[in-house]
């Protein structure tokens, strides 16, 4: 049985004091939840948020990483640096990284390998734009994202990963995918993982939905057989809203 994983992607929001306050509220309000709970603040807030969540049921995630270990890569952060501040999960290949910062399937693959080699767990984002959905190439785009991210990855490593299916047209727009639309793509990814690996591997990899998930639509989405949690943007910035999804 796959355990749901609800992760808050705080994106470029919250100063350090604000992040600490939100993390404290999330720890208190989500206590006893029947799901894995993760918060992903910005790099500068990781250490302070770790002081809040360390030893609690809430795990710490980062929003990106560089694949090299160290060196002349101005502005970048390594896996070891993330580990040193208590990070467990790393979001990779988010559509905002792909759209604004030149992320490709190839760089996602390098990051996935570096994260796993460091003993961290990747949350790999995949998903189509509105034009791609309207052009009926959703499955092709999602397949390219998944195959790209998992290139040369063993089944033993693949089982440690989480996928976040995030239709780009649903991110931050209030236009959530219908539970059926989401389930169709999740089932497609599940079958693809069987082709790439095998049934046992595919059946343990958790696939989150992301894109305008809110307390009032979470229950229906999470009720679908292949939806194993959520990657939450806007609704993760208030502890009550986030908890509404966690409880769903
Ligand atoms: P949203 O963002 O919940 O604000 O749509 C989700 C995400 O980008 O991870």
């Amino acid at each position: 049985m796959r355990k749901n994983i609800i992760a808050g992607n705080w994106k470029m929001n919250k100063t350090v004091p604000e992040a600490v306050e939100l993390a404290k509220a999330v720890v208190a309000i989500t206590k006893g939840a029947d799901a894995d709970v993760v918060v992903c603040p910005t790099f500068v807030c990781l250490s302070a948020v770790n002081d809040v969540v360390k030893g609690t049921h809430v795990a710490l995630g980062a929003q990106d990483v560089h694949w090299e270990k160290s060196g002349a890569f101005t502005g970048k952060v390594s896996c070891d640096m993330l580990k040193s501040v208590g990070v467990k999960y790393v979001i990779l290949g988010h559509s905002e990284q792909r759209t604004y910062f030149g992320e490709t399937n190839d760089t996602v693959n390098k990051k996935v390998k570096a994260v796993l080699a460091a003993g961290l767990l990747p949350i790999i984002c995949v998903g189509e734009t509105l034009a791609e959905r309207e052009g009926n190439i959703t499955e092709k785009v999602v397949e390219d994202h998944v195959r790209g991210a998992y290139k040369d990855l063993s089944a033993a490593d693949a089982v440690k990963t989480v996928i976040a299916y995030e239709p780009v047209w649903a991110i931050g727009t209030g236009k959530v995918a219908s539970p059926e639309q989401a389930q169709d793509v999740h089932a497609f990814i599940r079958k693809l993982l069987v082709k790439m690996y095998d049934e046992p591997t595919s059946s343990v990899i958790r696939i989150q939905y992301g894109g305008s998930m809110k307390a009032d639509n979470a229950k229906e989405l999470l009720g679908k057989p292949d939806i194993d949690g959520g990657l939450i943007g806007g609704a993760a910035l208030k502890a009550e809203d986030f908890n509404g999804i966690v409880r769903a």
Side-chain angles (χ1 to χ4, degrees), residues 9 11 94 96 166 170-173 210-213 231-235:
N9 173 11
K11 307 193 180 185
H94 191 279
E96 287 147 20
E166 300 204 302
I171 295 178
T173 58
S212 298
M213 197 189 253
L231 184 57
I232 320 300

